[in-house]
Amino acid sequence: MKKIVCLFIAVIRVLFSGETHMENFCKKYTPEIRQKYSVDPFFRFSFETFRESVEDLDSFFNEYTYLIIKPDGLVGGCFASTIKTLNEYGFEISGWDVFEFTSNGVKQFWYNESKFFPLDRFRLFEKILSDKPSVVFLLRDKRRDRENPCERLSKLKGSAESQKREAWHIRTKIGVRCPLLGFIHTPDSPLSMIRELGIILGEKKCKRFLIEGIGNSQEDKQQELNQFKQELYSKIVMHDLDELKSKDRLLIYGETLESTLGKQFKQFINDQRTGSDDFFRFVEKHNLNVPEWDLLTFCSYQKSAVVNMEESIVIDLAKRCSFFSKETFDELIVKRLGGWSNTSFKFDFLHEQYAVRLNRPNSILAIDRKAEQMNSLIADELGVGSKIEFTDGNIQVAKFIEHEGVVKAEDLAENESLSQVVLSLKKLHKSGLKFQNELRPYERLLRVYEEIGQKEGNFMDKELFFTICSLKDVFTNKLVLEAPKVPCHNDTTPYNMLRTKRGIQFVDWEHSANNDPAWDLAYLSAEANLTQDDDLRMIDLYDPEDKLEFMTRFSVYKPLTHLWIYVWIYTQIYSKNEVVSEVEFRKLASERLAKAFNLMSQTPFKNAVKFLQNQKLLEPSQYKERLAKVIS
């Protein structure tokens, strides 16, 4: 009995020790990321494998990452060009192994992505990857920059979509032309590397991969690497994964079939509306021996699977949600409405029109979708927005607002347009109602900077940090902190304003909260590039109770709105939003920072600061306590 008790205690100690190691390793990441991985069984098991194979995990991840050449990359002949490009960017091959994805392995590996993939697209993705050789390389980063190798390589990889890549991206250099045929995969972070290697290699193979690979140099292993490549390609036949050539070869194959079957086969190829599921069902039903990579390549390029990817995703999610359970999708007309952090579509059914938004996950901004929905009910009641009928985190559904168009920034130079916008804002601000949540813009800026600015080293401009610090006294001022808190939209860019028969209505309520009404006007002024004269005219139209105090708060908020957009842009880069390239995002961010600094050098801001200096500040202990609650 005593032995059993001792054994039980020993097991508990081992388990507890493992949990402690995992918690310590993960503590440098955000709470959302820690939570995501701590409950993932593949990560938990693989973490133990890494801990047993690697002497010092932190040192290991400062030096190593990995890359997979997927089956399409091997067949497409990118083995040599991938290694050459990796070497150019300072990565050397330390080890390698061959493995095959299973169908379940694909689902487990891309679990989060599979929730947003259209089903037919993901099934095609499985067919491309499953039961075919892939190669995984352990890579040593010789440059040892401050940025860890996983994140550096992930940024170098580039989007699977060519229009979102630059010439220097690895996928551009190795000739990736189609999103489904992306050739390579890299981890986003050390956490994803741990999880993913555990899935594809399993415990024993993963241990051997790590132990045998660590410490090697490519120069020492070059002869073995060349021999490995020769043996690999003795079993793999390279194929030209060109869309038009694959189509031509399929048409030639169709000529070999008996007349009726051949005609049906060629109809599938020539019909642009053919989905990959339908084509594969036809091939399997008739037991056709179609050239596999021609069929996979042709289907990968089809419009339904690639060009309208987001449209396919949102339709697929809509079909699965309870709100549309009684709708018939056969007659549905879909139109893309646009969006930066999220993408919206107009769903035109025979009897009703809806605005359906595809929400991109962004844990850094911590958007409260439930509060957004409740706030939209008040906006609808006041006639300044449309209520959200349904939301589940993935998509959001609201009644489509019939309108004559969006408000244009240049229109606000006219009194009529500006007064219409101000009238709708006054309806919201002076309603006497309350939203579900509260926003303090300066504290939000600090929180998000804490999340990604300081932890990322050079991720953001260092000048931003000093600017935020320099503004502390301004935003600890009693006049600012104790300003009235009323329902605010908080994202009053002209693009979010629609001209309707009911007046100006606002869309995109995800940042809505109780806030100082001066913020909505300052944000509008910054987004519409209003002049100082325009600002005075707008505040006269708004007619606040204490115009001097309102104008003071407005003047200190205006540059802060540009700083907020600067930080928001970096949350999009950090979250890998590919609506534009990272280069373009960084350019936009620099422009915003310049605008903020410019406004802080002008008279209205300087006068506002002087006015506030004569007002009472909160005691440092009071502010510290308030700020600690926000950041935690």
Side-chain angles (χ1 to χ4, degrees):
M1 183 68 181
K2 188 176 180 182
K3 287 182 179 179
I4 294 174
V5 171
C6 290
L7 180 63
F8 176 75
I9 292 171
V11 169
I12 292 298
R13 281 176 177 168
V14 168
L15 290 174
F16 181 77
S17 171
E19 290 292 318
T20 303
H21 278 292
M22 188 171 71
E23 288 170 6
N24 288 338
F25 182 75
C26 294
K27 68 183 180 182
K28 64 176 77 71
Y29 298 94
T30 65
E32 293 84 1
I33 291 175
R34 288 201 301 269
Q35 173 65 18
K36 172 186 168 183
Y37 281 95
S38 66
V39 298
D40 187 309
F42 298 105
F43 172 77
R44 292 168 69 88
F45 283 114
S46 188
F47 182 82
E48 287 305 304
T49 303
F50 267 74
R51 197 163 68 87
E52 292 168 9
S53 309
V54 176
E55 188 174 335
D56 182 340
L57 284 175
D58 288 323
S59 297
F60 173 82
F61 284 113
N62 284 333
E63 192 171 359
Y64 289 95
T65 183
Y66 86 94
L67 177 141
I68 293 172
I69 301 183
K70 297 185 287 187
D72 46 305
L74 294 177
V75 169
C78 79
F79 188 99
S81 60
T82 300
I83 293 177
K84 179 185 175 185
T85 306
L86 288 170
N87 292 163
E88 288 172 358
Y89 286 130
F91 294 95
E92 67 172 355
I93 312 296
S94 292
W96 56 84
D97 209 338
V98 179
F99 70 96
E100 291 186 1
F101 280 107
T102 63
S103 180
N104 281 337
V106 174
K107 293 184 181 77
Q108 292 160 358
F109 196 92
W110 279 280
Y111 172 73
N112 289 311
E113 291 83 351
S114 70
K115 292 186 287 186
F116 297 96
F117 275 34
L119 288 175
D120 65 331
R121 182 173 182 268
F122 196 75
R123 281 191 284 264
L124 177 57
F125 191 55
E126 281 183 58
K127 285 182 169 67
I128 292 168
L129 296 177
S130 300
D131 306 317
K132 302 174 185 68
S134 293
V135 174
V136 56
F137 292 110
L138 183 65
L139 303 177
R140 178 175 169 270
D141 189 351
K142 294 192 292 185
R143 295 190 182 176
R144 302 288 295 276
D145 292 340
R146 291 179 66 183
E147 189 172 25
N148 77 62
C150 290
E151 292 175 4
R152 188 167 87 85
L153 183 60
S154 181
K155 290 176 183 177
L156 289 169
K157 176 182 63 177
S159 170
E161 297 183 56
S162 57
Q163 67 270 27
K164 296 177 182 178
R165 288 200 307 265
E166 304 295 331
W168 49 267
H169 279 126
I170 295 173
R171 278 186 166 141
T172 304
K173 287 176 171 284
I174 64 176
V176 173
R177 288 169 289 176
C178 172
L180 277 181
L181 304 173
F183 287 11
I184 59 172
H185 171 82
T186 65
D188 296 327
S189 69
L191 298 182
S192 62
M193 179 174 175
I194 292 171
R195 179 184 185 275
E196 292 165 3
L197 284 182
I199 291 173
I200 63 173
L201 297 179
E203 182 183 356
K204 290 182 180 178
K205 209 172 179 181
C206 186
K207 275 186 181 178
R208 188 174 71 248
F209 178 72
L210 294 170
I211 292 169
E212 293 180 0
I214 294 171
N216 292 326
S217 71
Q218 186 174 328
E219 186 178 355
D220 295 338
K221 304 279 283 184
Q222 190 62 54
Q223 189 174 346
E224 287 181 49
L225 184 59
N226 294 339
Q227 186 179 347
F228 168 73
K229 180 187 173 185
Q230 288 177 2
E231 290 175 359
L232 182 69
Y233 277 96
S234 69
K235 302 170 187 175
I236 296 174
V237 178
M238 287 199 289
H239 199 86
D240 189 343
L241 305 181
D242 179 80
E243 177 188 12
L244 296 178
K245 290 177 182 177
S246 294
K247 181 178 179 179
D248 289 342
R249 286 191 290 263
L250 288 175
L251 289 171
I252 292 170
Y253 173 80
E255 294 290 341
T256 67
L257 303 174
E258 61 92 7
S259 59
T260 304
L261 194 60
K263 184 177 180 181
Q264 290 177 315
F265 184 83
K266 285 185 278 188
Q267 281 177 341
F268 269 106
I269 295 170
N270 292 317
D271 188 347
Q272 293 295 315
R273 295 169 299 175
T274 298
S276 59
D277 276 358
D278 295 332
F279 203 171
F280 276 99
R281 272 194 291 267
F282 175 81
V283 169
E284 289 165 8
K285 178 182 176 181
H286 296 284
N287 198 26
L288 301 179
N289 189 25
V290 182
E292 182 181 29
W293 278 106
D294 284 331
L295 182 58
L296 291 170
T297 301
F298 174 74
C299 288
S300 296
Y301 278 98
Q302 291 308 289
K303 181 178 180 181
S304 59
V306 177
V307 178
N308 293 321
M309 189 187 303
E310 287 186 318
E311 183 179 313
S312 299
I313 293 169
V314 77
I315 291 172
D316 190 62
L317 288 170
K319 285 179 178 178
R320 296 187 221 176
C321 84
S322 57
F323 183 79
F324 289 119
S325 60
K326 296 181 180 178
E327 295 290 354
T328 301
F329 282 77
D330 296 342
E331 303 295 327
L332 173 65
I333 299 172
V334 179
K335 180 183 178 184
R336 192 181 190 280
L337 301 175
W340 279 79
S341 54
N342 306 293
T343 308
S344 296
F345 300 85
K346 179 183 178 184
F347 272 35
D348 195 343
F349 292 101
L350 290 176
H351 63 286
E352 193 63 82
Q353 295 177 328
Y354 297 98
V356 181
R357 191 175 76 191
L358 180 64
N359 292 325
R360 290 192 181 95
N362 191 327
S363 60
I364 297 168
L365 292 179
I367 301 298
D368 187 337
R369 298 295 177 196
K370 198 63 185 174
E372 179 186 6
Q373 184 176 25
M374 297 304 292
N375 295 349
S376 76
L377 299 178
I378 292 175
D380 184 72
E381 181 185 328
L382 296 172
V384 295
S386 176
K387 70 176 179 179
I388 296 167
E389 305 277 355
F390 172 86
T391 183
D392 67 356
N394 294 329
I395 63 169
Q396 184 185 96
V397 182
K399 289 283 180 68
F400 181 76
I401 300 174
E402 289 292 346
H403 60 279
E404 300 163 10
V406 299
V407 173
K408 295 178 181 176
E410 55 266 28
D411 294 344
L412 297 175
E414 305 166 6
N415 255 350
E416 184 180 352
S417 293
L418 190 59
S419 62
Q420 288 174 353
V421 172
V422 169
L423 179 62
S424 289
L425 287 174
K426 287 179 74 173
K427 272 188 192 177
L428 178 65
H429 295 165
K430 298 180 182 294
S431 64
L433 302 173
K434 284 290 182 182
F435 276 165
Q436 292 281 307
N437 49 334
E438 185 170 311
L439 171 68
R440 293 181 181 274
Y442 180 66
E443 292 171 353
R444 175 179 66 172
L445 183 70
L446 273 173
R447 180 184 66 78
V448 176
Y449 184 83
E450 281 283 320
E451 194 79 29
I452 61 174
Q454 290 177 316
K455 292 180 182 178
E456 286 299 307
N458 292 326
F459 199 71
M460 288 189 193
D461 194 312
K462 288 183 178 178
E463 201 166 356
L464 175 67
F465 175 72
F466 299 111
T467 304
I468 292 173
C469 292
S470 70
L471 291 171
K472 179 181 175 181
D473 284 348
V474 173
F475 290 97
T476 56
N477 190 279
K478 185 177 180 181
L479 178 64
V480 173
L481 281 174
E482 297 186 359
K485 299 295 184 288
V486 300
C488 288
H489 184 276
N490 294 319
D491 190 13
T492 46
T493 174
Y495 294 114
N496 285 334
M497 302 175 185
L498 305 179
R499 296 184 182 278
T500 75
K501 292 179 180 178
R502 298 171 71 186
I504 300 297
Q505 291 198 47
F506 303 95
V507 295
D508 195 358
W509 291 84
E510 69 178 359
H511 296 290
S512 62
N514 299 314
N515 189 16
D516 184 345
W519 173 267
D520 268 352
L521 271 69
Y523 198 101
L524 171 60
S525 175
E527 288 293 285
N529 292 313
L530 297 186
T531 65
Q532 291 180 27
D533 288 342
D534 292 331
D535 289 345
L536 292 171
R537 190 162 48 90
M538 178 169 61
I539 290 171
D540 282 341
L541 288 167
Y542 189 83
D543 193 25
E545 290 181 11
D546 189 322
K547 195 170 289 187
L548 177 60
E549 287 191 0
F550 191 93
M551 190 69 196
T552 299
R553 301 197 308 273
F554 171 94
S555 297
V556 297
Y557 288 151
K558 191 169 177 179
L560 189 69
T561 64
H562 286 299
L563 290 179
W564 165 245
I565 296 296
Y566 173 90
V567 171
W568 174 87
I569 288 170
Y570 275 94
T571 69
Q572 303 305 301
I573 296 172
Y574 191 73
S575 301
K576 296 182 170 53
N577 183 348
E578 296 178 343
V579 67
V580 298
S581 70
E582 184 176 330
V583 172
E584 185 63 26
F585 264 137
R586 288 181 182 274
K587 180 182 175 185
L588 292 170
S590 297
E591 290 171 0
R592 289 291 182 162
L593 200 59
K595 286 181 178 181
F597 291 155
N598 182 46
L599 284 170
M600 284 188 279
S601 69
Q602 292 181 12
T603 302
F605 179 80
K606 289 180 177 180
N607 286 346
V609 171
K610 285 179 183 177
F611 181 82
L612 290 173
Q613 285 171 344
N614 296 321
Q615 307 299 306
K616 182 181 178 183
L617 297 176
L618 281 180
E619 290 297 320
S621 59
Q622 291 177 287
Y623 181 72
K624 187 176 181 181
E625 181 182 347
R626 188 195 300 270
L627 188 57
K629 288 180 181 178
V630 173
I631 292 177
S632 64

